[in-house]
Amino acid sequence: MELKAVIVEDEANSREILRNYLSKYCENVSLLGEGATIEEGLRQIKEHGPDLVFLDVEMPFGNAFDLLEQIPDRNFETIFVTAYNQYAMDALNHHAAYYLMKPINIDELIKAVDYVAAIKEKENALEGQVLQARPVRAEGKITLPQQDGFQVLDVSDIYFCKADDNYTEIYLEKKKIVVSKTLKYFEEALQPYSFARIHKSYLVNVSEVVKYKKGKGGSVVLSNGKELSVSASKKADLLSYFQ
């Protein structure tokens, strides 16, 4: 997998060597930025949101651990690159993925990058299982994928879902949540519950329907007063809930 990376190293020559090695031997690493100080490193990390940071230990006005302590909720892996072996235990305590000694051994660099890639692949696989709209073990709840994780929602709080191209608007009592999934996706995710597709644009919580108005397709009125059209092709499916 591709790894977005940032280098934080105060020596220009060391940055150049590492940059060249990555370009030549680690094609899955995309170098997005470099910093020569803690301040520059923090700025690059916040700007690019890397998967991997190559981090020298000793830098002007502080060290690598000072930088890491300013990012308590970091979601990147760290490979320390240093000429000093006495920091190995501190690196371990800061959950470093790898500890490389200068001068950099190419085989060790490749091994370190492959190790981080394997970690990220496992994380992505786990997130792929969790970060999707689906029922969860907690009865009556569903997870909604978001950029920074997922939100857990009581299914009973949903009044209806509305299609918006490749997005879905989920309407609750006092707010709307927009999720980058299609309405068909939510129709399948909410299948274990009493949700009816009444229109190409609407999926309703049947428990919130308080009135049906007759017509070729007709319409439904929800408990919050919202009235939604029912397409003729979906009318029978809706009415089957009330037989």
Side-chain angles (χ1 to χ4, degrees):
M1 64 172 293
E2 183 180 40
L3 296 171
K4 299 181 295 181
V6 165
I7 296 173
V8 184
E9 161 69 67
D10 65 316
E11 297 180 359
N13 183 58
S14 295
R15 291 198 304 274
E16 182 180 3
I17 291 172
L18 181 53
R19 185 191 316 125
N20 291 338
Y21 281 179
L22 291 173
S23 176
K24 188 172 182 179
Y25 300 107
C26 303
E27 295 182 354
N28 60 327
V29 175
S30 177
L31 186 58
L32 302 182
E34 300 179 13
T37 65
I38 291 175
E39 185 178 279
E40 290 177 3
L42 286 170
R43 185 166 60 249
Q44 292 293 324
I45 290 168
K46 291 177 181 178
E47 178 180 347
H48 297 294
D51 303 303
L52 170 60
V53 174
F54 292 93
L55 189 57
D56 187 17
V57 176
E58 294 193 347
M59 288 178 285
F61 311 110
N63 60 36
F65 309 113
D66 296 324
L67 182 150
L68 293 175
E69 287 172 1
Q70 294 185 58
I71 315 175
D73 298 321
R74 57 185 181 273
N75 57 6
F76 56 83
E77 296 296 328
T78 307
I79 294 178
F80 280 84
V81 185
T82 179
Y84 306 96
N85 59 15
Q86 67 263 33
Y87 296 112
M89 184 57 68
D90 287 332
L92 182 64
N93 291 336
H94 283 77
H95 307 290
Y98 218 91
Y99 195 89
L100 290 176
M101 293 294 297
K102 297 177 183 177
I104 296 173
N105 178 284
I106 294 172
D107 289 336
E108 280 296 306
L109 174 63
I110 295 171
K111 184 178 178 181
V113 168
D114 287 345
Y115 181 72
V116 170
I119 292 173
K120 287 297 181 180
E121 284 175 356
K122 289 179 181 179
E123 288 179 356
N124 290 345
L126 178 60
E127 290 179 354
Q129 295 173 16
V130 176
L131 301 186
Q132 54 181 308
R134 64 175 186 176
V136 294
R137 288 184 181 180
E139 186 177 353
K141 294 184 182 292
I142 189 172
T143 60
L144 303 181
Q146 298 180 332
Q147 285 188 341
D148 60 348
F150 64 91
Q151 179 176 353
V152 181
L153 191 67
D154 286 319
V155 170
S156 60
D157 289 341
I158 302 174
Y159 283 85
F160 69 97
C161 304
K162 180 182 179 182
D164 183 12
D165 292 327
N166 291 323
Y167 291 81
T168 297
E169 299 174 352
I170 299 176
Y171 287 83
L172 310 179
E173 182 177 3
K174 295 182 179 180
K175 67 177 181 178
K176 174 181 72 175
I177 301 173
V178 180
V179 182
S180 58
K181 296 291 182 181
T182 64
L183 188 61
K184 177 67 175 177
Y185 186 88
F186 281 97
E187 183 179 7
E188 295 174 355
L190 291 167
Q191 190 274 333
Y193 308 102
S194 297
F195 279 76
R197 184 74 175 262
I198 64 169
H199 188 278
K200 67 178 182 179
S201 297
Y202 299 118
L203 178 69
V204 301
N205 184 347
V206 177
S207 299
E208 297 297 336
V209 174
V210 296
K211 185 175 183 179
Y212 171 74
K213 294 183 179 180
K214 294 193 298 183
K216 184 175 178 63
S219 64
V220 292
V221 179
L222 305 183
S223 60
N224 63 354
K226 183 70 175 181
E227 184 172 349
L228 304 173
S229 297
V230 179
S231 64
S233 62
K234 300 294 185 182
K235 179 177 178 179
D237 292 339
L238 171 67
L239 296 182
S240 68
Y241 282 90
F242 301 98
Q243 292 177 347

